Amino acid sequence: MCGVAGLIATERPLDWSEEAITKMIGCLEHRGPDDRGVWGSSRAPVMLGHRRLSIVDLSASGHQPMVSQDGRYALALNGEIYNFKQLRRELEVTGCRFRGQSDTEVVLSAIEQWGFEAALKRFTGMYALAVWDELEGQLFLARDRMGEKPLYYGWANDVFVFASELKALRAIPGWSPDLDLDAVGLQMRYTYIPAPYSVYKGISKLKPGTYVKVTLREFAEIGLAVPYWNFDDIALSERSHSRSRAEVADELDQLLTEVIGHQMVADVPLGAFLSGGIDSSLITALMQKQLPTPVKTFSIGFDEAEYNEAHHASAVAEHLGTDHTELYVSAQQARDVIPLLPDIYDEPFSDSSQIPTYLVSKIAREHVTVALSGDGGDEVFGGYNRYLAGKGVWNNIKRVPSPLRRVLSSGIDRTSAQTVNSINAIFRPLLPRRHQYKNVGEKLKKLSASWHQSDASSIYASMIELWGEPGDLVYGAKSLEFLGQHRATFDTLGDFTEQMMFADTVTYLPDDILTKVDRASMAVSLETRVPFLDHRVVEFMWRQPLDFKISGNETKCLLRDILYRHVPKHLIERPKMGFGVPIDQWLRGPLREWAEDLLAEDRLNRQGLFNSRAVQKMWREHLSGQMSRQYLLWPVLMFQAWHERWMP
């Protein structure tokens, strides 16, 4: 794993560009502490920079930026190409010769041999890369199919820039970025800023599975993002009904075993995150099946029982025989991470599981350099609780007259979430384990919001959004269509559950889940790999009928079928917990002073960004204990902390 950066400075002298690129990659040292490199074109005002975390071929032959043997192409690559050995053999047949053993050299040769877009289509892996074509005077930027690795690009004054993180762009001398208020509104609404938007005007995130071409003429001309792999086509592909669930499970087992085998290739110590849930347990089981020695696994625990899964992870680890490291984290240790978040995430980001994700990454990095993760399992295999509830909600809403819906919703709104949770706490022990849900009050209120809606996309939005209209909270923010060009596919899919899975895959997965994991792990120089997001697995699963993923009240059916071949069912069957920390309690206790400072009415009024009355109302309701408003307050607090750090 690495960090990349670059610029095209048509109006600046060479010494300015060299100083700027050096500062840019200096900001990315955490992404690549093992090596650094800078390359400049002899024909154009183009500079590439790279920070290296050495994973495969630890020698100097893997140094970047790397130049092709004929001198035409220069490459800066962040990520891993898992099928590089196969591609290397194909290229060697055509007469290509290699100096080292790195995947970077294979990428360069593939581009030389097959052309840029054709080469991208052959790569299996996670990556964000930049390629300068010296002959044609063109820069190509590309991002992997599922969005595991980040890439920002755009204009900083008169300089075209790109980098793995925004902090590298802020290193451009003399650039004072302007906030994009519409993007801030998106963060308030969804906890993250979805691609192609960023918090700064003029800077975009490259969308997954696309590339852009920047042509050097009298000035840099940026083309539109071009898809080289289209998830919309995959989602609309015909479902196969010709085989039994058992036959499909056998094929999926074989495919996942192969994918995980490829992702275990590394010249450094490797392990896995293990929560004891379905996804991480299956990844670990299939790793252990292929290794003669115990897999190194890692989990963290909390003293608060509602947030602790460590004992489940420990039981799975014991059964599989892994070399397990478990650390119980105190509330103070978790809270100590909060001041680090603006630097770690670099852009306003407010999924509170960012805290335990950083902590487990930090623990793992003490033992390994690469960790496999079970992320993507919910989106690809159908794991979220809303996939169970959503279809029933939509079908029932259509049958209930609008006036009655409003009455029912109003009744729920008048009942505090705390009251519902207290009642649930009494009856929860009497329910089957898989139905012992937490935060029922908040879930019920979220459900009631959907009863006002009239179509599938509005129902989905009501289930995932926090604040409503962004302009009600962020002054001047307009409501944006966050599905963008994917909206047509969403509407075309006939089943509401598949619509939700599709929408999560193109938005929530890359811009929340994968962003969270990338920034948290890279902050401690740990590479994470996500086998479930190999594009062959994604394509395979979207060809399967929905009832192979979700059947009755059972989610992730195929994953369970495979997992129970390796781990007893009783070690896994329990309610889905998520990966969180008790933010709600902390805001009323040890974080209260910190929060009150960031949410102070006079401070908000001076900034002129937020509706201070709306924020203060939510804060008072939360402090009273009658309502849990942490989900609404945390985005504001994370923005304020970020703003204090980067926009003083």
Side-chain angles (χ1 to χ4, degrees):
M1 203 61 57
C2 307
V4 299
L7 57 85
I8 301 176
T10 55
E11 305 296 328
R12 302 295 181 111
L14 179 60
D15 59 349
W16 184 94
S17 295
E18 291 176 340
E19 179 185 359
I21 194 68
T22 299
K23 288 181 177 179
M24 291 174 76
I25 64 170
C27 296
L28 300 175
E29 182 177 1
H30 55 288
R31 298 189 74 93
D34 298 329
D35 191 18
R36 61 182 294 278
V38 170
W39 176 88
S41 168
S42 60
R43 300 184 183 182
V46 175
M47 302 289 297
L48 302 182
H50 189 266
R51 295 291 319 205
R52 185 184 183 197
L53 177 63
S54 301
I55 302 295
V56 175
D57 188 356
L58 310 185
S59 72
S61 63
H63 177 78
Q64 296 189 52
M66 186 179 290
V67 180
S68 61
Q69 294 186 29
D70 64 2
R72 176 174 177 177
Y73 296 105
L75 168 67
L77 168 68
N78 167 27
E80 304 290 345
I81 308 300
Y82 300 125
N83 64 334
F84 80 98
K85 291 184 178 180
Q86 174 191 335
L87 296 176
R88 179 178 174 131
R89 289 192 293 269
E90 292 180 36
L91 291 164
E92 286 174 334
V93 170
T94 68
C96 293
R97 295 295 177 262
F98 296 89
R99 296 165 290 193
Q101 302 298 319
S102 73
D103 57 348
T104 307
E105 194 175 359
V106 173
V107 170
L108 268 176
S109 294
I111 293 170
E112 286 182 287
Q113 186 71 23
W114 300 316
F116 183 74
E117 183 171 343
L120 285 180
K121 293 179 178 180
R122 288 176 177 249
F123 299 152
T124 298
M126 56 173 182
Y127 51 84
L129 58 84
V131 177
W132 172 251
D133 182 344
E134 190 87 301
L135 180 63
E136 297 294 335
Q138 297 177 150
L139 175 72
F140 292 93
L141 304 175
R143 193 175 178 202
D144 64 71
R145 294 171 178 84
M146 300 305 294
E148 293 183 57
K149 295 294 103 186
L151 195 60
Y152 293 85
Y153 68 98
W155 291 94
N157 297 334
D158 56 351
V159 181
F160 176 81
V161 292
F162 68 87
S164 298
E165 296 183 16
L166 283 180
K167 57 173 63 71
L169 304 188
R170 285 191 289 261
I172 295 292
W175 184 46
S176 298
D178 294 323
L179 285 176
D180 185 331
L181 295 179
D182 296 338
V184 176
L186 287 170
Q187 185 240 334
M188 295 299 121
R189 205 167 190 175
Y190 304 113
T191 77
Y192 59 88
I193 299 174
Y197 308 105
S198 88
V199 72
Y200 294 138
K201 290 181 180 178
I203 302 296
S204 300
K205 296 187 189 83
L206 188 58
K207 289 182 70 67
T210 68
Y211 71 88
V212 294
K213 181 172 68 175
V214 184
T215 303
L216 188 63
R217 306 240 190 268
E218 293 181 3
F219 51 89
E221 297 178 339
I222 308 175
L224 296 175
V226 177
Y228 65 88
W229 183 80
N230 196 329
F231 179 66
D232 294 62
D233 293 339
I234 306 303
L236 293 172
S237 61
E238 186 176 351
R239 308 293 182 259
S240 172
H241 297 273
S242 60
R243 294 179 300 165
S244 69
R245 178 168 143 179
E247 290 173 322
V248 173
D250 288 341
E251 185 175 351
L252 178 61
D253 192 348
Q254 183 177 352
L255 175 59
L256 286 173
T257 299
E258 177 187 337
V259 166
I260 289 170
H262 286 163
Q263 296 200 15
M264 288 195 295
V265 174
D267 295 331
V268 293
L270 174 141
F273 296 143
L274 179 61
S275 69
I278 294 171
D279 303 332
S280 64
S281 296
L282 181 56
I283 296 293
T284 303
L286 295 181
M287 290 176 71
Q288 191 61 75
K289 185 175 76 169
Q290 300 179 68
L291 287 175
T293 57
V295 175
K296 294 182 182 296
T297 54
F298 307 93
S299 66
I300 58 172
F302 297 96
D303 292 331
E304 294 88 345
E306 283 190 90
Y307 296 88
N308 183 45
E309 288 189 291
H311 53 294
H312 299 301
S314 181
V316 173
E318 182 178 2
H319 176 80
L320 293 174
T322 71
D323 178 4
H324 191 57
T325 299
E326 173 185 289
L327 178 67
Y328 271 76
V329 178
S330 71
Q332 186 58 55
Q333 285 175 295
R335 291 194 296 270
D336 286 344
V337 175
I338 293 173
L340 308 177
L341 295 177
D343 279 303
I344 292 172
Y345 287 91
D346 204 35
E347 186 173 43
F349 182 83
S350 41
D351 180 337
S352 62
S353 62
Q354 62 199 132
I355 297 171
T357 302
Y358 171 79
L359 289 168
V360 75
S361 297
K362 186 178 180 182
I363 294 164
R365 186 61 177 93
E366 295 174 3
H367 303 269
V368 299
T369 310
V370 177
L372 270 62
S373 164
D375 291 296
D378 287 314
E379 293 82 3
V380 175
F381 298 95
Y384 289 124
N385 290 328
R386 62 174 170 266
Y387 298 160
L388 288 177
K391 188 172 184 177
V393 169
W394 176 225
N395 288 337
N396 290 327
I397 281 175
K398 291 185 289 187
R399 300 190 184 101
V400 179
S402 294
L404 180 56
R405 277 191 249 157
R406 286 193 292 271
V407 170
L408 292 171
S409 180
S410 176
I412 291 174
D413 288 343
R414 287 196 297 269
T415 305
S416 75
Q418 187 180 45
T419 299
V420 176
N421 288 336
S422 298
I423 296 171
N424 179 60
I426 296 172
F427 293 100
R428 185 177 175 187
L430 306 177
L431 298 173
R433 288 182 67 199
R434 63 181 296 113
H435 296 304
Q436 292 179 5
Y437 302 117
K438 64 178 183 178
N439 299 326
V440 172
E442 288 77 6
K443 290 181 172 68
L444 188 60
K445 286 188 173 294
K446 177 69 72 173
L447 180 63
S448 75
S450 66
W451 292 349
H452 298 293
Q453 312 306 323
S454 58
D455 59 65
S457 62
S458 299
I459 292 284
Y460 173 76
S462 71
M463 295 174 75
I464 63 168
E465 68 185 15
L466 301 175
W467 292 89
E469 283 299 314
D472 294 340
L473 176 65
V474 181
Y475 291 128
K478 300 187 296 294
S479 181
L480 299 175
E481 170 56 76
F482 82 115
L483 280 174
Q485 76 270 26
H486 302 293
R487 178 61 185 267
T489 301
F490 180 95
D491 291 337
T492 302
L493 287 167
D495 186 277
F496 185 48
T497 303
E498 287 198 330
Q499 288 177 316
M500 289 188 287
M501 292 175 65
F502 169 78
D504 283 343
T505 302
V506 296
T507 57
Y508 180 67
L509 176 62
D511 295 315
D512 185 305
I513 300 298
L514 297 179
T515 296
K516 173 183 65 182
V517 174
D518 173 80
R519 303 305 192 278
S521 59
M522 283 284 90
V524 295
S525 304
L526 175 75
E527 175 174 302
T528 51
R529 299 177 177 180
V530 189
F532 289 146
L533 297 185
D534 184 294
H535 70 278
R536 295 168 297 173
V537 175
V538 174
E539 292 171 359
F540 177 86
M541 286 306 301
W542 274 90
R543 290 195 298 269
Q544 308 311 318
L546 181 60
D547 61 2
F548 283 11
K549 307 167 199 175
I550 302 170
S551 180
N553 289 323
E554 184 178 67
T555 60
K556 299 181 183 176
C557 296
L558 285 173
L559 285 192
R560 292 176 191 270
D561 291 346
I562 301 170
L563 176 60
Y564 296 150
R565 299 172 182 179
H566 305 278
V567 179
K569 187 175 182 179
H570 72 270
L571 293 182
I572 301 298
E573 285 293 325
R574 61 183 183 276
K576 187 177 181 64
M577 288 186 67
F579 194 37
V581 288
I583 294 292
D584 54 341
Q585 301 168 29
W586 292 354
L587 289 177
R588 297 187 186 102
L591 292 182
R592 178 168 179 170
E593 184 177 348
W594 169 79
E596 285 185 329
D597 179 54
L598 292 175
L599 302 179
E601 188 171 7
D602 59 342
R603 180 176 189 155
L604 295 174
N605 289 335
R606 284 196 309 272
Q607 285 178 316
L609 297 174
F610 292 108
N611 180 336
S612 60
R613 286 180 296 178
V615 173
Q616 285 292 309
K617 178 177 181 291
M618 294 299 169
W619 180 235
R620 289 192 299 271
E621 289 178 350
H622 186 79
L623 290 179
S624 72
Q626 295 302 304
M627 303 284 283
S628 291
R629 296 297 195 184
Q630 73 271 19
Y631 299 111
L632 294 169
L633 293 167
W634 195 246
V636 182
L637 288 165
M638 284 293 94
F639 177 87
Q640 289 292 83
W642 174 87
H643 190 276
E644 184 176 60
R645 172 67 178 90
W646 295 113
M647 303 286 289

